[in-house]
């Protein structure tokens, strides 16, 4: 695989992951009352923040787990596993019924799916960085890894721009 294709693939995957990561933050005030109905929108938002802390604890565990897989079985396979896991979790989050339809289990399902997503996300970003550096020309490894980091901010920026225009 060419070094530019490796960079572009890893950067696009990372951009999409951070886009999704930031999109939840942008739309949290709209989404949380659907999954955590409380007395007020503010209470739902605070409850949502507390319940979403749990999935973020899974990110370093995913980094450890997928880091080991990347070291022993190869980065390309590891990145494919993480991207597929993230895609499955994201799709299921998108079709999860609200608390109005299935009660408080909607919030539990959301937390579990977000935990799966964050677990895979923890493995994707770091493996993508190592994969890019392994495929970069020696003289350009810093530039390539910098481009990968810039793609994270680009994904977040796209999410906030979308949120600005849609809210």
């Amino acid at each position: 695989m060419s070094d530019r294709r490796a960079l572009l693939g890893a950067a696009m995957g990372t951009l999409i992951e951070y886009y999704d990561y930031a999109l939840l933050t942008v739309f949290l005030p709209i989404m949380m009352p659907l999954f955590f109905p409380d007395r007020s929108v503010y209470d739902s938002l605070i409850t949502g923040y507390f319940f979403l802390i749990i999935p973020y604890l899974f990110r370093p565990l995913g980094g450890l787990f997928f880091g080991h897989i990347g070291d022993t079985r190869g980065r390309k396979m590891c990145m494919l596993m993480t991207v597929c896991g993230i895609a499955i979790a994201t799709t299921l989050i998108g079709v999860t019924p609200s608390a109005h339809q299935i009660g408080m289990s909607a919030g539990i399902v959301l937390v579990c799916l977000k935990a799966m997503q964050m677990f895979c996300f923890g493995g994707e970003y770091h493996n993508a960085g190592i994969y890019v550096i392994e495929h970069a020309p020696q003289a350009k490894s810093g530039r390539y890894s910098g481009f990968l980091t810039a793609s994270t901010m680009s994904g977040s920026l796209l999410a906030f721009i979308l949120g600005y225009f849609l809210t």
Side-chain angles (χ1 to χ4, degrees):
M1 174 179 265
S2 75
D3 55 327
R4 289 181 188 235
R5 282 187 56 196
L7 173 64
L8 187 61
M12 288 305 296
T14 303
L15 184 139
I16 291 168
E17 305 313 328
Y18 271 86
Y19 171 76
D20 177 66
Y21 190 65
L23 206 58
L24 179 66
T25 305
V26 170
F27 290 107
L28 205 62
I30 296 168
M31 287 181 56
M32 287 306 106
L34 298 173
F35 292 98
F36 303 106
D38 258 327
R39 294 176 299 280
S40 71
V41 175
Y42 176 76
D43 290 341
S44 295
L45 184 62
I46 295 301
T47 304
Y49 278 127
F50 280 119
F51 274 98
L52 289 178
I53 288 171
I54 297 165
Y56 292 106
L57 298 175
F58 282 82
R59 187 174 175 187
L61 298 175
L64 289 170
F65 178 78
F66 287 111
H68 176 70
I69 290 176
D71 289 343
T72 58
R73 298 199 179 136
R75 307 255 176 252
K76 191 173 182 179
M77 186 194 73
C78 181
M79 285 179 38
L80 183 62
M81 288 172 59
T82 59
V83 169
C84 286
I86 291 167
I88 290 167
T90 302
T91 301
L92 292 173
I93 288 170
V95 298
T96 300
S98 68
H100 177 72
Q101 295 164 322
I102 62 171
M104 269 316 280
S105 51
I108 295 167
V109 169
L110 178 68
V111 169
C112 291
L113 290 172
K114 196 66 183 165
M116 176 185 163
Q117 190 182 43
M118 289 280 92
F119 183 78
C120 292
F121 183 67
E124 191 271 338
Y125 179 70
H126 299 292
N127 275 300
I130 295 167
Y131 185 74
V132 165
I133 290 172
E134 287 176 347
H135 284 81
Q138 189 72 19
K140 295 182 180 179
S141 62
R143 187 178 312 154
Y144 276 41
S145 62
F147 185 77
L148 186 67
T149 302
S151 71
T152 64
M153 295 302 110
S154 300
S156 298
L157 181 63
L158 284 174
F160 285 108
I161 289 170
L162 181 70
Y164 176 77
F165 285 112
L166 291 180
T167 58

